[in-house]
Amino acid sequence: MPLIRPLKTLIAAGALSLLAVGPALAESAVELRGTGDLGVVIERATGSVALVDTTHKTVLKNIEGFGDLSHASVKFTRDARHAFVFGRDGGLTRLDLLTGEIDGRIIQGGNSIGGAISQDGRYVAVGNYEPGGVKVFDVETMELVVDVPATYKKADGTTDQAKVVGVVDVPGNMFVFSLFEAGEIWTLDMSTEEHEVTRYRDIGSMPYDALITANGRYYIAGLFGEDGMALLDLWHPEKGVQRILPDYGRGEERLPVYKMPHLEGWAMAGSQAFFPAVGRNEVLVADTRDWSLTQRIEVHGQPIFVMSRPDEQQVWVTFAHPNNDRVQVIDTRTHEVIETLSPGESILHKEFTPRGEHIWISARDSGHVVVYDTRTFEELARLPAESPSGIFFTHRAHRIGL
């Protein structure tokens, strides 16, 4: 059917308009791509992050303006478009992964340790050392939704605010976290307007970090003040907190602890859990059916991150100073160390690609990130970075607790 003249005129005019603004649009347009193969590497010395492409093993852009990243963590929004960076200076910074630009930043506290994004993607929670507590913000507007001071009663009857550690998201639109000085675990329910807080007291001395199992059932806090761990079964919270592995180091002299292990990097493999021993050159193995200790595996140094490859056939271990120049690989079937790698000086963090074929490892004092094939242990790439530490890929957006 022939076009009538007025419509032809409109189309022609529109085409001319597009031609006229085309270059400007091209310069400002976001590249048409998914975010599934993107990630960020924290560059702690410069307060910057490197935006990386995990498929092509390249650095796309170095972005500044994140403040103090001497201890930093990252969470991704539900759509994996944005990364929230939690900084040591209390900064909460939102990075647009497609534009490579910061599009929101607030100083919400004095010292932040990390955070989580809720199951429905609406809220981002920040755990604070100063002042102790949790603040929850709207992901879109970055406006404060709820402020939960971690107030507790001390032995002398006075009150104080505890440092908050181990903030994770759990099903039911809830956050769970631990109070270091108080020896407590709290849950914060964001599914109702009341934002109800439930407290579990006397869980053990000095919970220093925590994890949530992949199915969101078990929240486990490590205890620095004593041997053992505290477990909260979120399917049966009425049972309270259970102590597990209470005797794994009793009566033994610990080594000096140079850096606390990160329990977020626990390795789960079938009915086994692999986790770092505090103050010992060991990876511990527990049976998750009854949480009994079944084996100790001697390793290169004091473990910091003990992480499972997605197929659960391998566990990769990094270590604390002064033995932090190695990475060891444990076979989860034989419990033997099958490979020792030397990616560089001061190994701080590692991250598997979503299906585990590659692993990225940061070497802070060597100023690079090394990518390995996890099957052959072949080095695939070595990327420059400014004092790299944490590595975070967008597949975390779709996993509980990450």
Side-chain angles (χ1 to χ4, degrees), residues 110-141:
N111 188 337
S112 305
I113 194 64
I117 291 180
S118 60
Q119 183 181 39
D120 64 5
R122 294 174 57 194
Y123 306 113
V124 53
V126 187
N128 288 315
Y129 276 8
E130 297 178 14
V134 169
K135 292 183 179 179
V136 181
F137 299 87
D138 185 288
V139 164
E140 295 292 334
T141 66

Side-chain angles (χ1 to χ4, degrees), residues 286-297:
D287 186 331
T288 59
R289 292 169 293 189
D290 60 7
W291 297 103
S292 60
L293 182 67
T294 59
Q295 189 174 347
R296 307 177 187 214
I297 303 172

Side-chain angles (χ1 to χ4, degrees), residues 171-192:
N173 234 35
M174 297 174 62
F175 296 113
V176 185
F177 49 93
S178 298
L179 281 61
F180 180 76
E181 291 88 352
E184 298 181 3
I185 293 173
W186 292 11
T187 63
L188 172 60
D189 188 346
M190 296 299 297
S191 66
T192 66

Side-chain angles (χ1 to χ4, degrees), residues 33 36-39 52-58 353-354 357-358 360 371 393:
R33 64 174 301 163
D37 61 354
L38 298 183
V52 298
D53 181 321
T54 64
T55 296
H56 298 97
K57 307 175 196 63
T58 56
T353 48
E357 73 280 8
H358 301 153
W360 292 45
V371 184
F393 296 159

Side-chain angles (χ1 to χ4, degrees), residues 296-317:
R296 307 177 187 214
I297 303 172
E298 185 176 350
V299 288
H300 173 69
Q302 293 182 33
I304 297 296
F305 283 102
V306 179
M307 296 175 63
S308 176
R309 196 172 70 176
D311 66 359
E312 300 183 349
Q313 293 187 54
Q314 295 176 353
V315 165
W316 289 60
V317 187

